[in-house]
Amino acid sequence: MLTADTATLRTALLAAVTAVRPQPGPIAGDRSFADLGLDSLDRLVLVHTVEQATGVTVPDHVLAGARHVDDLLSYLDTVGPAADEDPAGPGAAETKLGVVDDGAVVGAGSRLWHQAQVAAGASIGADCTLGKGAYVGAGSQLGDRVKLGNYACVFGANIADDAMISPHAALLEDPAPRATTPDGRRKEHTDFNQCPVTVGRRATIGAGAMIAPGVTVGHDALVAIGAVVVRDVLPYALVAGNPARQCGWVCTCGGTLADTLRCPRCSRGYVRHGDELHLLGDPVDACDG
């Protein structure tokens, strides 16, 4: 029979699971984290949420070994809240893994890994993920469910929903950057020329790729690893090299299209209209940004 304290801990755990990954129905305590769709980052966020709610610090070995809610519950039930300490007070565990500057906006459900930073004047949508050391500069606008890999840097870019910016990629903003003005004064953020990159919905920027200021990467496009992109990329286009050139087409699922413009991974088919590609069955004007 659960004690009142244990029941409270279970409620906090299940509420945290639902906050991280909404579930369609009640959650059994022995249902695995993998079955609930919780990846390693989700589990870390879950534990930090529970630490804030309970005032109990969960050691790394407990987190690493936990496979379902009951594993964490067993540990929390054994330790319990620290004596004479208000779980919501100064002794509560720190949960902010990254840094959100004053004046920045971060949407509901978005998660920041260690050392990620969102600068003042930047806006992050809902359910985004910023990897370790990722940076989002002033003026950047990210849609919902955008993923930034470790150490990706975004300077003033406009990134649509569901886009992926892979580790160590950089989206640049100033076409003629200098550290100082001609009279020797150190430049402030207002001194830089703003010519932001635009990334369309579901597009992917590969690891280590560099996107020059002012470039537009179309929806569902894929920029290859290490590419240096200095001109616009068409929707569904695959570009690679330095300078990047189009070398194929990709499906919305990410697979490279065959010569027949059909995806070997998911069987979606496409048709050419001039220089652009369209999904079969969609009207010509259905391309979204």
Side-chain angles (χ1 to χ4, degrees):
M1 189 69 160
L2 291 176
T3 67
D5 287 342
T6 304
T8 299
L9 291 173
R10 178 182 289 278
T11 299
L13 269 169
L14 296 179
V17 169
T18 302
V20 173
R21 289 288 176 188
Q23 303 295 321
I27 303 171
D30 59 354
R31 188 175 173 190
S32 71
F33 290 140
D35 188 43
L36 292 168
L38 297 171
D39 58 23
S40 56
L41 177 57
D42 292 329
R43 298 177 199 183
L44 183 61
V45 174
L46 167 64
V47 167
H48 276 272
T49 301
V50 171
E51 287 176 335
Q52 185 182 44
T54 63
V56 176
T57 299
V58 179
D60 288 349
H61 73 274
V62 174
L63 172 59
R67 294 294 176 265
H68 44 65
V69 168
D70 282 347
D71 287 340
L72 291 177
L73 181 66
S74 297
Y75 176 78
L76 293 170
D77 192 33
T78 300
V79 177
D84 300 322
E85 183 176 43
D86 179 6
E94 177 61 55
T95 61
K96 186 170 68 174
L97 304 180
V99 177
V100 179
D101 292 349
D102 291 340
V105 176
V106 176
S110 289
R111 292 154 290 172
L112 277 66
W113 193 254
H114 298 280
Q115 300 169 348
Q117 181 180 358
V118 182
S123 176
I124 307 293
D127 202 27
C128 295
T129 300
L130 275 63
K132 178 180 172 67
Y135 177 75
V136 180
S140 301
Q141 302 287 321
L142 276 63
D144 298 336
R145 298 172 302 279
V146 173
K147 289 193 174 183
L148 267 61
N150 295 349
Y151 301 105
C153 292
V154 174
F155 298 98
N158 298 305
I159 303 177
D161 297 348
D162 306 304
M164 173 75 180
I165 312 300
S166 299
H168 295 277
L171 279 57
L172 307 176
E173 183 179 27
D174 190 338
R178 295 290 194 190
T180 59
T181 62
D183 59 4
R185 178 177 58 83
R186 185 182 67 179
K187 279 192 172 184
E188 304 295 337
H189 71 278
T190 54
D191 294 318
F192 289 95
N193 295 321
Q194 296 177 339
C195 191
V197 167
T198 299
V199 178
R201 188 176 183 188
R202 293 183 302 270
T204 295
I205 308 300
M210 300 288 170
I211 314 299
V215 165
T216 294
V217 178
H219 69 82
D220 295 286
L222 195 155
V223 174
I225 293 171
V228 179
V229 183
V230 296
R231 56 189 176 188
D232 291 350
V233 178
L234 290 171
Y236 299 110
L238 168 63
V239 300
N242 179 8
R245 300 178 63 184
Q246 184 174 353
C247 54
W249 298 100
V250 292
C251 178
T252 190
C253 76
T256 302
L257 299 184
D259 291 342
T260 58
L261 298 182
R262 184 164 294 276
C263 178
R265 293 173 57 178
C266 70
S267 298
R268 286 183 176 89
Y270 296 81
V271 62
R272 288 280 296 272
H273 289 288
D275 291 334
E276 296 188 357
L277 202 66
H278 298 266
L279 183 64
L280 277 175
D282 280 357
V284 172
D285 60 354
C287 290
D288 53 351

